[in-house]
Amino acid sequence: SQTIHQWPATLVQPVGSPLSLECTVEGTSNPNLYWYRQAAGRGLQLLFYSVGIGQISSEVPQNLSASRPQDRQFILSSKKLLLSDSGFYLCAWSVEAIEAFFGQGTRLTVV
Amino acid sequence: AQSVSQHNHHVILSEAASLELGCNYSYGGTVNLFWYVQYPGQHLQLLLKYFSGDPLVKGIKGFEAEFIKSKFSFNLRKPSVQWSDTAEYFCAVNAGAGNMLTFGGGTRLMVKP
C-alpha cells in the first residue's frame, strides 16, 4: 500500500536560519507531488508541485524553494527563514487525476 | 490557471440543520472535483470526488455534492448535520497540464449540539 512520510512534525527555527523539510512516498511510481501551506483563515495554499524528477512548478513567489532529487522524494527548503514563513506545511501526492493523499504536516514556527 | 473559490469562510449551524457549502472554480476544460475534510487534529481526508457521469455524487457520512457545469460549481450538501461534522472543508479542482490540484480557501463549519 502507498504511504507518505513527512518530517519533522514540528520545528522551531530562528529567523535567518535555513530550512529543509522532507517528504517521501512509498508504494507508487511517478507520483505528482505537492507542497501546501495551511494558514489559519487562508485555507490551503499551493506552494510547489512536481510531475517528475527535477520538474518543479512554483505557484507563489516567496522565500521558499523545492526540489525533487528522486522520484518519490520532495524537499522544501529555504536559505534564510522569515517570520512570515511560520505555518503548517503539508506534503501530498497523487497519481494522474486520482485523489491526493496528505502527509501528517510540519508545524514550523520561526522565532 | 485554475482557481477555486469557497464563499463561506465560517458557518455555524445547530444539529439537524441542513448544510450547503458553496464551491466555484474557474477553468474552461475538463475538471475533476473533490471535497476534502479536516477534522480537528486530524489529516485531510477525501469526502467525495467527481470525475464523470452522474453529476450528483455521494460521499461518506451522508455528504453529497452536485456538479453544475454551466455554473462552474460543485456545492457540498448534507440534509442534517451532526456535532461530529465540525471540521474544515476544502473544495479542490484537478485540471490542466500536470493535473495540478488546487484548493479553495476552506470553510470552517461549527455544529452546535
Side-chain angles (χ1 to χ4, degrees), chain B:
Chain B
Q2 69 240 35
S3 64
V4 182
S5 298
Q6 291 180 243
H7 309 296
N8 314 104
H9 299 293
H10 292 91
V11 174
I12 301 174
L13 295 172
S14 298
E15 275 196 315
S18 64
L19 170 72
E20 181 160 3
L21 302 182
C23 172
N24 287 91
Y25 66 92
S26 63
Y27 186 75
T30 301
V31 294
N32 300 311
L33 299 157
F34 306 83
W35 275 97
Y36 284 82
V37 60
Q38 187 174 31
Y39 297 104
Q42 296 188 26
H43 299 179
L44 273 161
Q45 58 185 281
L46 185 69
L47 202 54
L48 49 79
K49 59 188 176 186
Y50 171 80
F51 287 173
S52 63
D54 189 345
L56 184 61
V57 180
K58 300 215 182 279
I60 60 172
K61 304 185 179 184
F63 285 91
E64 64 179 32
E66 185 175 12
F67 170 51
I68 302 179
K69 189 174 181 180
S70 61
K71 294 184 178 180
F72 297 90
S73 69
F74 191 55
N75 292 355
L76 181 70
R77 300 194 292 251
K78 186 170 183 178
S80 176
V81 295
Q82 301 172 315
W83 176 79
S84 58
D85 293 324
T86 295
E88 189 160 15
Y89 294 81
F90 295 92
C91 182
V93 171
N94 185 310
N99 291 314
M100 186 175 67
L101 185 62
T102 303
F103 283 82
T107 298
R108 286 187 179 271
L109 171 66
M110 179 183 292
V111 180
K112 298 186 291 185

Side-chain angles (χ1 to χ4, degrees), chain A residues 83-105:
Chain A
L83 285 174
S84 57
D85 292 323
S86 293
F88 189 64
Y89 292 84
L90 284 164
C91 180
W93 71 272
S94 69
V95 174
E96 297 180 346
I98 309 303
E99 68 181 276
F101 297 90
F102 288 83
Q104 291 181 315

Side-chain angles (χ1 to χ4, degrees), chain A:
Chain A
S1 63
Q2 303 92 345
T3 56
I4 178 168
H5 301 282
Q6 184 182 341
W7 68 93
T10 59
L11 189 61
V12 180
Q13 291 283 100
V15 169
S17 64
L19 173 73
S20 181
L21 302 181
E22 189 160 343
C23 173
T24 59
V25 180
E26 297 176 359
T28 187
S29 296
N30 197 31
N32 295 329
L33 295 172
Y34 307 84
W35 278 110
Y36 291 91
R37 178 164 55 201
Q38 186 176 16
R42 296 182 62 183
L44 275 168
Q45 181 185 39
L46 179 63
L47 301 177
F48 301 96
Y49 81 105
S50 171
V51 299
I53 295 174
Q55 300 177 63
I56 310 294
S57 295
S58 173
E59 292 302 303
V60 182
Q62 55 201 320
N63 187 41
L64 302 169
S65 62
S67 61
R68 185 171 177 172
Q70 300 179 44
D71 181 44
R72 289 170 287 178
Q73 184 184 28
F74 205 25
I75 298 172
L76 182 69
S77 304
S78 174
K79 293 182 179 178
K80 288 186 178 181
L81 283 168
L82 306 172
L83 285 174
S84 57
D85 292 323
S86 293
F88 189 64
Y89 292 84
L90 284 164
C91 180
W93 71 272
S94 69
V95 174
E96 297 180 346
I98 309 303
E99 68 181 276
F101 297 90
F102 288 83
Q104 291 181 315
T106 298
R107 174 73 59 191
L108 172 65
T109 303
V110 183
V111 297

